[in-house]
């Protein structure tokens, strides 16, 4: 019977010669296949079963390896056993029906409600301190205040926020129409604070003699409106002022804060899906950790057993 070492070398030669696999890729294949060979003990790789493969993945889990590492091991085994099957060395593929281990969705970075309030308060104070001025510094302060109020009130994507039309600030309605991904339109509510900040910024631009623009946050760039990068830059500068790590803050983090704080205060996941403009509820479900915590708190507060000493 051909030894496992020879089978592995034959597979690696094929991957190099026929598929042009890089040296690093080949080394990863060798390491992962050797790990499986060690797991099998005296059982030949030619005789390995589907159960042997799933047991190996379970052993990786028990050792604390991430799902991405397990998926890499399984990918190496799939390639290996397809090679054996194609060469007629096996009549089946023991990896064929095994599902790839799924990575856990990365939880978004979230600011606390207190941290968001500190940001809003600092932006508000800077805008109010500039009242009466019409220079570029005053306009920038008013713009940042309006951007913060709107993104935290609506949870807009930063691309949707910077491209808001000027008409969004002039309407009396508490809802504004936003065109999101795929050209889909949705309605999002505006807080009174957001509407006031938007109108204050427009009024300041007019007082400074700025020409009217179709954009709420105009700029001289190619797009005609403020860029995402410019907002992110101003946001990080504000974070430094209030003692928040600027590396932990971005416009997208504020969108996450909007979503997490809504859920924590009783919002429904389906409603949040509509507000965020997610096409699929599975995208919104990255926030279920907030719901889990809320449910735990509800049980601890209201369940009769929780009041027992």
């Amino acid at each position: 019977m051909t030894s496992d070492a020879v089978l592995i070398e034959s597979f690696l030669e094929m991957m190099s010669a026929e598929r042009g696999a890089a040296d690093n890729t080949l080394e990863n294949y060798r390491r992962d296949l050797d790990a499986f060979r060690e797991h099998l003990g005296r059982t030949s790789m030619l005789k390995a079963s589907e159960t042997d493969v799933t047991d190996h993945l379970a052993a990786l889990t028990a050792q604390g390896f991430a799902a991405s590492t397990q998926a890499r091991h399984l990918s190496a085994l799939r390639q290996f056993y397809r090679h054996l099957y194609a060469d007629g060395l096996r009549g089946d593929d023991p990896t064929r029906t095994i599902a790839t281990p799924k990575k856990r969705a990365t939880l978004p970075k979230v600011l606390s409600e207190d941290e968001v309030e500190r940001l809003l308060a600092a932006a508000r104070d800077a805008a109010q301190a500039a009242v009466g001025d019409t220079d570029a510094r005053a306009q920038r302060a008013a713009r940042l205040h309006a951007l913060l109020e709107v993104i935290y009130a609506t949870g807009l994507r930063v691309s949707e926020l910077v491209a808001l039309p000027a008409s969004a600030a002039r309407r009396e309605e508490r809802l504004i129409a936003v065109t999101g991904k795929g050209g889909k339109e949705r309605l999002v509510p505006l807080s009174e604070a957001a509407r006031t900040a938007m109108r204050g910024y427009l009024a300041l631009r007019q007082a400074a003699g700025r020409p009217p623009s179709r954009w709420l946050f105009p700029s001289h760039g190619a797009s005609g409106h403020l860029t995402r990068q410019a907002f992110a830059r101003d946001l990080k500068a504000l974070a430094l002022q209030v003692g928040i790590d600027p590396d932990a803050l971005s416009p997208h983090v504020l969108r996450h804060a909007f979503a997490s704080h809504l859920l924590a205060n009783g919002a429904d996941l389906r409603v949040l899906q509509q507000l965020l403009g997610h096409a699929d509820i599975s995208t919104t479900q990255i926030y279920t950790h907030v719901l889990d915590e809320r449910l735990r708190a509800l049980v601890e507060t209201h369940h009769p057993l929780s009041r027992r000493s």
Side-chain angles (χ1 to χ4, degrees):
M1 182 181 292
T2 308
S3 71
D4 290 346
V6 171
L7 292 174
I8 291 174
E9 287 302 327
S10 173
F11 165 71
L12 294 176
E13 288 175 8
M14 181 276 296
M15 292 296 292
S16 175
E18 297 182 16
R19 303 191 188 178
D23 289 342
N24 285 343
T25 302
L26 294 173
E27 186 57 37
N28 285 336
Y29 279 137
R30 183 189 300 279
R31 184 170 56 250
D32 294 346
L33 292 173
D34 282 343
F36 183 56
R37 181 171 62 162
E38 183 178 344
H39 169 79
L40 289 175
R42 295 185 178 182
T43 302
S44 168
M45 296 178 83
L46 279 173
K47 299 295 184 181
S49 66
E50 179 180 329
T51 300
D52 289 323
V53 177
T54 55
D55 285 349
H56 176 54
L57 296 178
L60 293 175
T61 301
Q63 294 171 48
F65 286 101
S68 56
T69 302
Q70 299 170 44
R72 193 196 70 214
H73 277 254
L74 180 58
S75 176
L77 291 171
R78 279 193 175 130
Q79 298 280 1
F80 176 71
Y81 280 108
R82 286 172 184 170
H83 167 67
L84 296 186
Y85 179 79
D87 279 4
L89 296 173
R90 277 193 66 130
D92 67 332
D93 175 1
T95 69
R96 186 175 61 84
T97 61
I98 299 176
T100 301
K102 292 184 178 180
K103 298 179 183 179
R104 289 187 62 185
T106 302
L107 296 181
K109 295 177 181 177
V110 177
L111 295 176
S112 67
E113 293 183 36
D114 176 69
E115 287 173 320
V116 173
E117 183 50 44
R118 280 158 52 197
L119 286 168
L120 289 170
R124 189 184 311 119
D125 290 346
Q128 290 176 350
V131 170
D133 295 336
T134 56
D135 60 12
R137 182 186 62 84
Q139 292 175 51
R140 189 176 296 114
R143 182 182 69 189
L144 181 57
H145 178 220
L147 286 163
L148 276 172
E149 291 284 4
V150 174
I151 197 169
Y152 187 56
T154 62
L156 294 181
R157 298 179 179 91
V158 63
S159 57
E160 297 167 345
L161 174 68
V162 296
L164 280 174
S167 58
R170 299 191 182 107
R171 295 194 180 100
E172 293 299 324
E173 294 86 354
R174 294 293 299 272
L175 298 173
I176 58 171
V178 177
T179 303
K181 289 185 176 181
K184 293 183 178 179
E185 191 174 89
R186 69 185 190 278
L187 293 175
V188 295
L190 271 178
S191 66
E192 188 58 39
R195 295 169 69 198
T196 299
M198 291 161 64
R199 290 169 180 169
Y201 171 59
L202 278 186
L204 188 61
R205 282 185 51 81
Q206 291 172 359
R210 296 288 185 180
S213 170
R214 59 174 291 202
W215 307 110
L216 179 56
F217 303 109
S219 176
H220 297 297
S223 65
H225 58 68
L226 184 73
T227 64
R228 296 172 298 158
Q229 293 82 358
F231 177 31
R233 177 200 63 213
D234 291 348
L235 190 56
K236 289 182 183 295
L238 183 65
L240 281 172
Q241 294 177 31
V242 299
I244 295 175
D245 180 4
D247 291 334
L249 184 59
S250 69
H252 203 59
V253 169
L254 287 173
R255 175 171 157 90
H256 289 321
F258 161 84
S260 297
H261 298 170
L262 268 185
L263 282 179
N265 286 282
D268 179 83
L269 200 63
R270 285 287 182 185
V271 172
L272 184 61
Q273 177 192 359
Q274 295 174 7
L275 291 175
L276 293 175
H278 289 161
D280 196 307
I281 190 67
S282 63
T283 308
T284 319
Q285 285 173 340
I286 60 171
Y287 298 104
T288 53
H289 68 289
V290 179
L291 287 177
D292 292 343
E293 179 62 23
R294 197 175 85 204
L295 289 172
R296 183 191 62 77
L298 282 171
V299 170
E300 289 183 355
T301 302
H302 299 291
H303 196 285
L305 292 179
S306 68
R307 294 192 287 273
R308 283 185 169 182
S309 57

